[in-house]
């Protein structure tokens, strides 16, 4: 029976980097995939100036990515992009004058009331009879304030809606570090990208509960990433996403062929291989109405 998975992300392109393979897999299996995005990413590094033009461009890229992945519905919450503060930028080895300042907008997602934002997300979960919601890990992956806010808001929204499964989309930093150090031998990463920063980002392998093999959907994931053209360059030149798109097929599948999640109700180190592995059959039995379109 078809189920519904809702993926909650902070900015356009986050879905491509962290969960695109899982989204494409679930859509191919006949499940309904819904994507909620908190902001338009109008303060990200790009060749376009911050503001409406960048927001419009990135929104268009988001819809193109969603189409490639088979997403049935995209929900834009319309909060302002909080950006990265200069301290965070320095910690990641980025020139603090690279284009992201501390003057966040008045409607910045990081400043949103958690209960109000959670009610908005929960409304979508209820409309969709969602079986699953993905958020980020408590640290927001690499620490972006909007990612941390997704964790807070999404956790509360799942509680309000009674969503059966809550997964934290993350990265197993152990193989990631090995793969990135290998890639560093062949590619020159942009200034924003410090491989050493991944020594404290995302999640160690021992806490991962879900390892989803998405190698069959690597082409869809690459196409999703490629849709975000504004994020392939900007600042000092080539961006991380642009470099990743240049990886040859075998290296790309090595780095991006698995997607990782943590479900806190499970013992650390559990070996689940599918997002719906723990969903009881009765949760999607007769009487659950699925929206169409």
């Amino acid at each position: 029976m078809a189920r519904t998975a809702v993926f909650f992300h902070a900015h356009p392109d986050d879905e491509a980097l962290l969960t695109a393979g899982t989204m494409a897999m679930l859509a191919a299996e006949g499940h309904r995939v819904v994507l909620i995005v908190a902001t338009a990413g109008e303060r990200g590094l790009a060749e376009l100036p911050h503001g409406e033009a960048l927001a419009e461009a990135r929104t268009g890229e988001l819809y193109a990515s969603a189409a490639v992945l088979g997403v049935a519905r995209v929900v834009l919450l319309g909060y302002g992009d909080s950006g990265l503060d200069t301290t965070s930028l320095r910690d990641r080895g980025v020139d603090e004058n690279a284009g992201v300042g501390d003057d966040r907008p008045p409607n910045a997602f990081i400043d949103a009331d958690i209960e109000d934002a959670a009610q908005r997300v929960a409304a979508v979960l209820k409309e969709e009879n969602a079986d699953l919601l993905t958020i980020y890990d408590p640290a927001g992956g690499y620490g972006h304030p909007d990612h941390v806010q997704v964790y807070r808001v999404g956790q509360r929204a799942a509680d309000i809606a009674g969503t059966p499964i809550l997964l934290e989309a993350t990265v197993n930093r152990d193989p990631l570090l090995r793969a990135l150090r290998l890639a560093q031998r062949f590619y020159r990463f942009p200034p924003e990208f410090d491989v050493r920063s991944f020594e404290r980002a995302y999640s160690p392998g021992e806490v991962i509960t879900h390892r989803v093999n998405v190698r069959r959907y690597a082409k869809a994931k690459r196409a999703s990433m490629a849709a975000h053209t504004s994020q392939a360059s900007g600042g000092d030149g080539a961006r991380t996403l642009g470099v990743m798109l240049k990886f040859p097929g075998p290296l790309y599948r090595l780095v991006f062929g698995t997607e990782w999640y943590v479900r806190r109700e499970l013992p650390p180190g559990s070996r689940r291989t599918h997002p719906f592995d723990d969903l009881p059959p009765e949760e999607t039995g007769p009487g659950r109405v699925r929206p169409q379109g």
Side-chain angles (χ1 to χ4, degrees):
M1 178 175 289
R3 294 167 175 170
T4 296
V6 177
F7 292 78
F8 184 20
H9 285 285
H11 317 97
D13 87 349
D14 289 331
E15 86 290 345
L17 294 166
L18 278 176
T19 63
T22 305
M23 296 166 76
M25 180 188 75
L26 293 179
E29 292 174 353
H31 302 296
R32 181 173 172 85
V33 176
V34 176
L35 174 59
I36 302 176
V37 182
T39 83
E42 69 276 10
R43 300 182 72 230
L45 286 173
E47 292 181 350
L48 288 170
H50 290 172
E52 292 184 11
L54 183 55
E56 183 177 353
R58 296 195 69 180
T59 298
E61 292 165 359
L62 176 69
Y63 277 100
S65 167
V68 166
L69 299 176
V71 173
R73 179 186 178 189
V74 177
V75 178
L76 301 172
L77 296 183
Y79 290 104
D81 182 353
S82 306
L84 277 169
D85 61 45
T86 53
T87 300
S88 297
L89 288 169
R90 286 193 298 270
D91 289 344
R92 296 176 62 216
V94 186
D95 180 352
E96 66 183 68
N97 298 313
V100 183
D102 298 318
D103 54 337
R104 59 180 181 252
N107 67 332
F109 185 46
I110 191 62
D111 296 323
D113 181 84
I114 291 176
E115 188 68 19
D116 289 346
Q119 289 288 350
R120 295 182 63 190
V121 175
V124 177
L125 297 175
K126 292 176 183 178
E127 289 170 12
E128 295 288 348
N129 291 320
D131 300 290
L132 176 150
L133 174 67
T134 74
I135 54 175
Y136 303 127
D137 57 32
Y142 63 87
H144 194 295
D146 285 335
H147 289 220
V148 176
Q149 188 76 327
V150 163
Y151 168 78
R152 296 168 180 155
V153 170
Q155 190 176 51
R156 176 62 181 141
D159 183 57
I160 293 169
T163 304
I165 295 178
L166 178 66
L167 296 182
E168 298 170 11
T170 187
V171 174
N172 184 340
R173 68 174 174 236
D174 303 333
L176 175 66
L177 277 170
R178 290 194 296 269
L180 289 175
R181 285 165 179 159
L182 175 63
Q184 199 173 32
R185 297 171 59 184
F186 302 98
Y187 298 93
R188 184 172 181 174
F189 287 115
E192 78 202 55
F193 193 91
D194 181 0
V195 172
R196 293 171 300 175
S197 69
F198 285 89
E199 296 173 359
R200 56 185 183 275
Y202 299 106
S203 303
E206 64 261 22
V207 306
I208 303 292
T209 60
H210 290 65
R211 296 160 177 80
V212 182
N213 186 337
V214 297
R215 290 185 181 89
R216 289 181 57 191
Y217 306 94
K219 288 184 178 180
K221 181 162 184 167
R222 188 189 283 267
S224 170
M225 291 171 64
H228 294 282
T229 55
S230 71
Q231 299 304 291
S233 62
D236 292 329
R239 297 285 312 284
T240 301
L241 187 147
V243 173
M244 290 174 173
L245 286 170
K246 295 178 181 178
F247 288 7
L251 181 59
Y252 187 91
R253 287 189 292 273
L254 173 66
V255 176
F256 299 108
T258 302
E259 291 178 348
W260 295 272
Y261 302 90
V262 176
R263 187 179 184 197
R264 296 293 168 178
E265 294 91 338
L266 297 177
S270 296
R271 305 290 298 187
R272 303 299 193 268
T273 59
H274 193 282
F276 293 138
D277 274 349
D278 296 296
L279 189 65
E282 60 266 21
E283 294 289 355
T284 54
R288 285 179 64 85
V289 179
R290 297 289 176 197
Q292 301 298 314

